[in-house]
Amino acid sequence: MDSLSFNINGGYLEGIVRGFKSGILKRTDYLNLVQCETLDDLKLHLQSTDYGNFLANEPSPLSVSVIDDKLREKLVSEFEYLRNHSVEPLSTFLDYIRYSYMIDNIVLLITGTLHQRHISELIPKCHPLGSFEQMEAIHVASTPAELYNAVLVDTPLAPYFIDCISEHDLDEMNIEIIRNTLYKAYLEDFHSFCKNIGGTTAEAMCEILAFEADRRAFIITINSFGTELSKDDRAKLYPRCGKLFPDGLSQLARADEYEQVRQVAENYGGYRTLFEGAGTNPGDKTLEDKFFEHEVKLNVNAFMQQFHFGVFYAYIKLKEQECRNIVWISECVAQRHRAKIDSYIPIF
Amino acid sequence: MASYATSAGIGVGLVTLLALYVGMTYCLTGFGFRFDVGWYLEAVSPYMWASTGIAFAISLSVVGAAWGIFTTGSSILGGGVKAPRIKTKNLISIIFCEAVAIYGIIMAIVLGNIIADFDYNNASREVASANYYAGYSMFAAGLTVGFSNLFCGVCVGIVGSGAALADAQNASLFVKILIVEIFGSAIGLFGIIVAIIQVTKIKMGKTAMP
């Protein structure tokens, strides 16, 4: 019965998000962008879209990193607007979206501290959506263990550390393993939160998050071939909220090569088609691209239903994909290497 | 969530058990005749039936209209930020919801005008029975129009919200969805028609005749 009471607190914001969504670039916009010769051309074309004059105040030789920053700024301002106008439980939902960026930022800061970089170098590299109050205080810590005790324990991510990483581990573990362990705990937490909300939100979100979990399992498995990550350690990194749990995950844990991973995917209808088209030949799409396409499809489907929170998550993810697309096209244009300029993922 | 459901379940269970106990006691001790529905219907004054009917007519209609208006209104506000052209056209949905409240007030006024004085203690059988019939009819008419307007208002509200958001994306969709709203609005009209039919033949007062 979401439709009866959702609009009391969420109706206005849902209208706003759908308005934002109509500003996402369409195929015709991408066709225009792909034909640009220089970055200034690109800027001109973007002026006629929802982005408007966002690059107006930038000094003349534009660089791709400036474009990337400005795109991100727009996304952040839209997200902040939504977050500021929301009430529970939507505000907790939007906070969960933030936590994934926080994890990336924390891993960045820990790596930076380990390599003795100064905090002021690291803060500008952090994603603005993932900023938290204690970020400035990170320089007081010199080892990851101190970092945890002094700083991280106050952030909203503390429960994810407690569940899986001890102080001792922080010093010894590979940074990527920390990132994946945190992300696993975050994904499972988010999944159970959406399930508790129930209704249409659970329907839309659990499907998206299950794919995210399975995708991470596949990517972790494939990337771990040839490294010294043991199979047990690998199995500890798989999020359990996807369709692959429990059988697929145990099979993946035993896999030794790409063919075996593909075998596991054969058992699951949705994933078999993703593996089929993928390959490393020049004309093929890579597996990562197929995963991105599938993710875009699931996110677009979230907009087919009304009165649920999935539209907010889907919008942020689609906007991110759009940012990646524009940056890809900009890079191809800037380097004049137009061979793969069409490998962006069209959204609408 | 789980504790809500279990405590609600326990509450319902206890109430049912109590009702069953009381009912069985009456039944098995030979006092079953005390549970007298007919006595209740006659003992309550026809003015009470009539007035409660009027209250239901207007209040449930207003609840339905309010529900519909907030559902549609918040979507129009949200959608209108990025697509300002939808603002004026979508007020039609609000008007449909408002119509539901108007049906309620019309019915309430019609019912209110029927109430008249009769000599409760000394009336003849015919006059009393006509007045009682009037009271029951007005209660039923009030429920009829109240509930049908409640659901009609909710329905038009949800459809109107969808219409506003669809219009914001694609302007040609609005007219199509409006047709759905018109059908939704028709069910409120059915309610008031049936209620009017229910009260056409009744009369209250000292000269009422069955």
Side-chain angles (χ1 to χ4, degrees), chain A residues 54 104 114 228 323 347-348:
Chain A
F54 79 121
D104 288 333
L114 278 179
E228 67 248 8
C323 291
I347 299 176
F348 284 125

Side-chain angles (χ1 to χ4, degrees), chain A residues 128-295:
Chain A
L129 274 185
S131 66
F132 49 96
E133 286 142 18
Q134 295 82 2
M135 248 162 72
E136 303 289 333
I138 297 219
H139 68 277
V140 304
S142 47
T143 72
E146 261 182 50
L147 188 70
Y148 175 67
N149 274 332
V151 175
L152 297 174
V153 89
D154 285 325
T155 61
L157 297 185
Y160 306 146
F161 279 92
I162 292 177
D163 281 337
C164 38
I165 307 182
S166 68
E167 255 178 72
H168 173 71
D169 289 334
L170 267 182
D171 270 327
E172 309 217 327
M173 264 206 252
N174 187 350
I175 199 70
E176 282 304 310
I177 301 197
I178 295 183
R179 183 204 299 269
N180 283 312
T181 322
L182 284 180
Y183 203 87
K184 167 192 167 172
Y186 154 70
L187 208 56
E188 287 174 0
D189 194 21
F190 197 4
H191 191 263
S192 66
F193 174 73
C194 291
K195 242 195 166 138
N196 276 343
I197 295 185
T200 325
T201 304
E203 249 180 72
M205 281 308 295
C206 288
E207 172 146 17
I208 298 176
L209 293 177
F211 174 68
E212 183 67 24
D214 292 335
R215 171 201 202 176
R216 285 190 86 83
F218 282 129
I219 299 280
I220 288 174
T221 315
I222 293 177
N223 286 348
S224 70
F225 293 148
T227 66
E228 67 248 8
L229 188 64
S230 77
K231 290 193 179 162
D232 287 331
D233 282 338
R234 192 210 298 172
K236 277 196 280 206
L237 297 177
Y238 295 150
R240 284 165 300 192
C241 51
K243 289 194 237 173
L244 289 177
F245 175 76
D247 299 324
L249 289 184
S250 53
Q251 285 178 327
L252 274 183
R254 291 193 296 266
D256 274 318
E257 45 164 23
Y258 185 79
E259 267 314 301
Q260 292 178 358
V261 173
R262 182 190 264 256
Q263 286 291 64
V264 174
E266 295 281 318
N267 297 333
Y268 297 88
Y271 301 147
R272 186 203 311 191
T273 45
L274 294 178
F275 275 81
E276 252 161 37
T280 40
N281 307 329
D284 281 346
K285 296 200 170 128
T286 66
L287 187 62
E288 307 256 350
D289 281 341
K290 298 283 254 174
F291 281 150
F292 275 127
E293 273 176 15
H294 191 96
E295 180 194 5

Side-chain angles (χ1 to χ4, degrees), chain A residues 93-138:
Chain A
F93 186 88
L94 292 175
D95 282 337
Y96 268 101
I97 298 181
R98 261 207 178 122
Y99 294 162
S100 70
Y101 299 105
M102 271 188 207
I103 291 177
D104 288 333
N105 285 353
I106 284 183
V107 166
L108 188 77
L109 292 171
I110 292 181
T111 321
T113 334
L114 278 179
H115 291 148
Q116 319 298 25
R117 297 231 194 292
H118 198 261
I119 201 75
S120 52
E121 278 176 38
L122 298 170
I123 300 273
K125 295 210 173 98
C126 288
H127 197 290
L129 274 185
S131 66
F132 49 96
E133 286 142 18
Q134 295 82 2
M135 248 162 72
E136 303 289 333
I138 297 219

Side-chain angles (χ1 to χ4, degrees), chain A residues 4 7-8 12 18 21 306, chain B residues 67 71 74-75 161 165 169:
Chain A
L4 294 179
N7 271 11
I8 300 176
Y12 172 68
R18 284 179 185 266
K21 167 230 180 207
Q306 215 185 334
Chain B
W67 211 319
T71 307
S74 52
S75 287
S161 153
L165 295 178
Q169 300 283 322

Side-chain angles (χ1 to χ4, degrees), chain A residues 12-36:
Chain A
Y12 172 68
L13 288 177
E14 177 169 15
I16 296 263
V17 145
R18 284 179 185 266
F20 286 154
K21 167 230 180 207
S22 66
I24 289 185
L25 300 181
K26 317 250 178 319
R27 281 176 207 258
T28 48
D29 297 312
Y30 282 122
L31 287 176
N32 283 339
L33 288 181
V34 163
Q35 286 165 0
C36 291

